[in-house]
Amino acid sequence: MAWTKDPQVEVDGSMTSLFDTMEDINSSECLAKAKAIAKVDGEVTAVKNMAFVFVKPHANNEAVQKLVKDKFAESKISITKEGKIDGSVIDKKLLIDNHYYSIANKAKLTKPKDLAVPESGKKKFEEKFGLTWEAAIKANMVMNAAEAAKKYNMDAESINARWAKAKDKGNLIKFGGGT
């Protein structure tokens, strides 16, 4: 299952997250991009897009379930199967851990100096904050969420509130999907 832990691949000459690269594109684009990354030839056959959709526990009620079904029907998205996954199964199979690993890895587990930041992200960083990513790292001005929580004695709610405030003021950038 190592491939599920946000593998880094070469895209356009630099290393980046495979998951970030494939995020928010349809299946045909995803296959074409995978073919380019793997440097293989051959036809890419159009396929039907499919997704596993789950409603998070805090929102899982009849009204939200109906809303999801109605929006899918409105968009001509068919539901082929429905079910319930017990919490013990989610824990045993690490479903949430693996689903959110890419985000958690960058936000909490990896030190900023060890992140594979794409060149486009470094450029956005410099434009937004007036110094290079490398200079900010060297000056110890960048930390992940876990480091910030510890240094500033903040809990997850406080970190989230600061993040929301920075986002509202336009004081943040995203290096890629999930980061």
Side-chain angles (χ1 to χ4, degrees), residues 133-149:
W133 172 253
E134 292 79 7
I137 291 292
K138 189 174 181 178
N140 291 318
M141 298 173 74
V142 184
M143 60 189 80
N144 66 29
E147 293 169 323

Side-chain angles (χ1 to χ4, degrees), residues 127-175:
E127 289 169 358
K128 174 57 77 178
F129 301 111
L131 74 161
T132 66
W133 172 253
E134 292 79 7
I137 291 292
K138 189 174 181 178
N140 291 318
M141 298 173 74
V142 184
M143 60 189 80
N144 66 29
E147 293 169 323
K150 185 176 180 180
K151 181 174 181 173
Y152 297 109
N153 196 27
M154 298 170 72
D155 60 14
E157 197 172 296
S158 301
I159 291 273
N160 191 51
R162 291 268 182 111
W163 178 266
K165 189 183 283 188
K167 185 176 181 180
D168 288 345
K169 290 182 175 182
N171 289 333
L172 62 84
I173 60 162
K174 287 183 75 173
F175 290 137

Side-chain angles (χ1 to χ4, degrees), residues 34-52:
K35 185 176 110 175
I37 290 168
K39 296 177 177 77
V40 296
D41 293 324
E43 288 297 312
V44 176
T45 307
V47 296
K48 190 180 254 188
N49 287 311
M50 291 188 275
F52 174 80

Side-chain angles (χ1 to χ4, degrees), residues 4-146:
T4 66
K5 304 293 189 241
D6 197 26
Q8 301 296 299
V9 296
E10 186 176 326
V11 177
D12 299 327
S14 62
M15 298 302 287
T16 190
S17 163
L18 175 64
F19 298 145
D20 291 350
T21 300
M22 300 300 188
E23 188 175 53
D24 298 329
I25 59 175
N26 70 39
S27 56
S28 296
E29 289 175 89
C30 184
L31 286 171
K33 192 165 274 204
K35 185 176 110 175
I37 290 168
K39 296 177 177 77
V40 296
D41 293 324
E43 288 297 312
V44 176
T45 307
V47 296
K48 190 180 254 188
N49 287 311
M50 291 188 275
F52 174 80
V53 177
F54 65 93
V55 177
K56 293 183 180 180
H58 71 278
N60 193 7
N61 58 56
E62 287 183 29
V64 171
Q65 291 173 16
K66 182 179 180 331
L67 174 68
V68 170
K69 289 177 185 178
D70 291 349
K71 289 294 183 183
F72 280 8
E74 187 181 297
S75 299
K76 297 182 174 53
I77 297 172
S78 58
I79 297 173
T80 58
K81 185 176 179 182
E82 290 183 60
K84 181 178 178 180
I85 303 174
D86 188 63
S88 63
V89 173
I90 291 170
D91 286 343
K92 183 179 179 185
K93 293 188 175 183
L94 302 172
L95 298 177
I96 301 300
D97 303 65
N98 285 324
H99 176 76
Y100 288 109
Y101 181 83
S102 175
I103 295 168
N105 184 42
K106 293 172 184 116
K108 196 173 165 189
L109 305 174
T110 302
K111 303 279 187 200
K113 69 178 180 60
D114 297 324
L115 288 173
V117 179
E119 289 305 316
S120 60
K122 290 178 181 180
K123 183 178 178 186
K124 284 193 280 187
F125 185 90
E126 186 171 3
E127 289 169 358
K128 174 57 77 178
F129 301 111
L131 74 161
T132 66
W133 172 253
E134 292 79 7
I137 291 292
K138 189 174 181 178
N140 291 318
M141 298 173 74
V142 184
M143 60 189 80
N144 66 29

